[in-house]
Amino acid sequence: MGYFAPPPRLGTEVFTRLPDRFRQPRPTAWARWNRGGRAIDSFLEGPCFDEQGRLYVTDIPFGRIFRIAPDGEWTLVADYDGWPNGLKVAPDGTLLVTDYKRGLLRIDPGSGAVTPLLEDARSEGFKGLNDLYLASDGSIFFTDQGQTGLHDPTGRVYRLWPDGRLDRLIGTVPSPNGIVVAPDLSHCLVAVTRANQVWRLQLHGDGAVTKAGIFIHLHGGPGGPDGLAFAPDGQLLVAHTGIGTVWRFNARAEPTLALTSCAGASTTNLCLGGPGGRDLFITESETGCVLRARLDLG
């Protein structure tokens, strides 16, 4: 991004924070390998709205799913043995979750019941699922990140078709994380955290990927691009964890806006919601907060 002039900056505000009644700092197996072993009380991810305007988030190390009302009130929806990360609301109202320990899950937001949807790929275990995207044709695209990185560029991206067919789109990604798919299914974009890049994968109807390439180069850390989302005008929003910033890029990968966290630097994921779906909501996992930015999204 050093070739471009600095984009305009916009601040954020704290929309809500994880209530103290849900915070009990302690070491966990997940934090041992992902947070230097220190005691933590949460790690929020996967923000997503339902049709009633309620926000859902995951809490990875404690296997929790929360629902947040428009007034900021928190409700525990599910508490189970897993490490939930990415989250989307399915057309039938159930929650689809990419769980690092357990694969692709379906969760009933009413009862909290957890149902495995895909636990492995043709009997081969996943490295550790991260994020997902529901495409316009009903396919579920998801990333399998595990502990991959530049030392081990074997992260994978999958497509689960509506008929149950599973395609591995690519298996050479150093840390695939957030993912979005073009409305016309021509390509998908993948946040490659450890390489500080966003990749573009050209999609084909037969399940193949060709001409995979780099769409955006980022810099700074520790961390890198994490969650991705499309703005209504088609621009790409990138949550850059480690530096407390969300970037907006146009179709030429030129930065057009930078949003700065008013809390910690761990801006992990994001989604659009609020009146007319025109506000940006960001999980800031260091402080257990959800940030909000009111944008002119065109």
Side-chain angles (χ1 to χ4, degrees), residues 218-233:
L218 294 165
H219 68 277
D226 196 327
L228 304 179
F230 283 126
D233 61 1

Side-chain angles (χ1 to χ4, degrees), residues 6 20-22 30 33 43 47 49 65 72 86 95 131 133 180 185 202 223 231 239 241 259-260 273 276 281:
D20 289 341
R21 69 181 182 275
F22 294 122
W30 181 88
W33 296 107
F43 193 90
F49 279 92
I65 309 292
L95 307 178
D131 211 347
Y133 190 89
V180 291
L185 302 175
Q202 185 168 315
T241 188
L259 296 100
T260 304
F281 292 81

